[in-house]
Amino acid sequence: PVDVLTFGETMLTVQLPGPLAVGADARTTVAGAESNVAIGLARLGHRAAWAGLVGDDEPGRLILRTLRGENVGTARAGVRPEAPTGGMLRERRVADLVRVHYWRSHSAASLLTPAALAPALDDGARVLHLTGITCALGPGPLEAAHEAAAHAHAHGWTVALDVNHRQRLWTAEDAGKALLPLLEHVTVLIASDDELPVVTHAFAERPEGEERAVAALLDAGMREVVVKRGEEGAALHNRNGSRHTVPALRVPVRDTVGAGDAFCAGYLSGLLDGLPPAARLTRANTLGAFAVASDGDWEGLPRRDELELLAAAPGTTIR
Ligand code: ADP
Ligand code: KDG
């Protein structure tokens, strides 16, 4: 068995330094919330496997090659000739504002079903990592996420769910309804502070405010609720009543996309290493800081021997 199994949609990603409407030179890469997490974990030496679907096309080949090059297991990834790999274009519209465009409806990744995922589940894992994005891709991926969560729960794995709400894919109301039946299987819920109402939207007594939302989630059976607070860091609420907050690292901001995924990788790494709560948050914040201080979702994430790198004084040259 691997340490962490994850799956979802990884896309060909085109990054433009300026507005698309007038044309700009592009950089191509691959990105997907779950594969970002898998790469972050693999860089730290954990065994991570990604079991998504790609098309039988050049973007699909780039995705699999990239994941293999990052030591992410792809033995259970699938290639579907009947649909294309999804794509995403990210334009820096103005200095501090990035706009995303998707080409992902009817993509290969949206063909995922519980049957396609079964071999990966049979392999076993210590942790299953899910995100709300996969649940938004269509009925097959939602069912696959649900069955994976039920299987993992029944086999005693840790089940992590990052809410990762994407307004471009579905409404908060639809997300709340779809995620509700999954929650009984979730061990660790990870959400930004503004995503908590998305998950609790479908609760019978809709809790108002962060404190009540967290309490309602812990009552629903989760062991831990982890709240991401951007440049302020993060908080961890444990079912046993303990609560920890750890500030973010201070780093120059290059590209904030991918920070949440890096954070998840750091948190799960801390869990796998058996770190105490505050140390798990510190590792999560450290990976989030690496993501914001470098271009790309995952390209700048640290290897284990680089975890302390951000403690260096600004402007340091290591020689
Ligand atoms: P998301 O990318 O999912 O919206 P956040 O913006 O909350 O999530 O960022 C996730 C984590 O990344 C934060 O909890 C923090 O650890 C780190 N992070 C985000 N922004 C910054 C920043 N400006 N400086 C340092 N760390 C940051
Ligand atoms: O978290 C970063 C991801 O959002 C990303 O790179 C692409 O998976 C993605 C999505 O659906 O937006």
Side-chain angles (χ1 to χ4, degrees), residues 213-227:
V214 168
L217 288 163
L218 294 172
D219 279 350
M222 262 136 270
R223 190 182 72 202
E224 295 168 20
V225 176
V226 183
V227 183

Side-chain angles (χ1 to χ4, degrees), residues 152-281:
H153 183 190
H155 289 78
W157 312 2
T158 296
V159 179
L161 171 68
D162 179 1
V163 178
N164 244 341
H165 184 57
R166 294 287 178 273
Q167 289 173 34
R168 284 269 170 100
L169 299 181
W170 56 355
T171 63
E173 193 171 354
D174 287 344
K177 275 189 215 143
L179 296 178
L180 187 64
L182 239 98
L183 298 181
E184 65 174 294
H185 303 301
V186 172
T187 327
V188 180
L189 183 96
I190 305 175
S192 312
D193 36 17
D194 59 351
E195 286 172 339
L196 286 171
V198 176
V199 228
T200 56
H201 199 88
F203 281 31
E205 284 175 42
R206 213 180 279 172
E208 294 288 335
E210 184 172 325
E211 290 292 324
R212 291 194 179 163
V214 168
L217 288 163
L218 294 172
D219 279 350
M222 262 136 270
R223 190 182 72 202
E224 295 168 20
V225 176
V226 183
V227 183
K228 296 176 283 183
R229 298 193 208 282
E231 62 185 351
E232 285 172 18
L236 164 61
H237 305 259
N238 201 299
R239 194 155 193 213
N240 65 18
S242 75
R243 186 184 172 156
H244 304 265
T245 55
V246 175
L249 280 72
R250 295 186 61 169
V251 288
V253 177
R254 278 286 274 276
D255 171 11
T256 57
V257 184
D261 304 331
F263 178 95
C264 289
Y267 193 80
L268 296 180
S269 167
L271 271 181
L272 289 162
D273 285 354
L275 299 183
R280 300 203 285 274
L281 286 181

Side-chain angles (χ1 to χ4, degrees), residues 92-169:
R92 194 165 287 280
R93 181 60 186 79
V94 294
D96 202 17
L97 190 142
V98 171
R99 190 159 60 183
V100 170
H101 308 271
Y102 292 133
W103 286 265
R104 63 196 302 188
S105 52
H106 308 293
S107 65
S110 61
L111 300 178
L112 191 70
T113 57
L117 198 65
L121 294 174
D122 287 343
D123 290 344
R126 291 173 66 191
V127 177
L128 173 72
H129 179 70
L130 301 170
T131 84
I133 299 175
T134 307
C135 302
L137 299 180
L142 175 61
E143 213 184 313
H146 190 260
E147 292 211 3
H151 175 99
H153 183 190
H155 289 78
W157 312 2
T158 296
V159 179
L161 171 68
D162 179 1
V163 178
N164 244 341
H165 184 57
R166 294 287 178 273
Q167 289 173 34
R168 284 269 170 100
L169 299 181

Side-chain angles (χ1 to χ4, degrees), residues 54-66 68 79 85:
V54 297
D56 185 11
D57 48 25
E58 297 305 300
R61 283 183 267 284
L62 175 63
I63 288 166
L64 294 179
R65 180 180 196 275
T66 303
R68 288 178 188 134
V79 178
T85 301

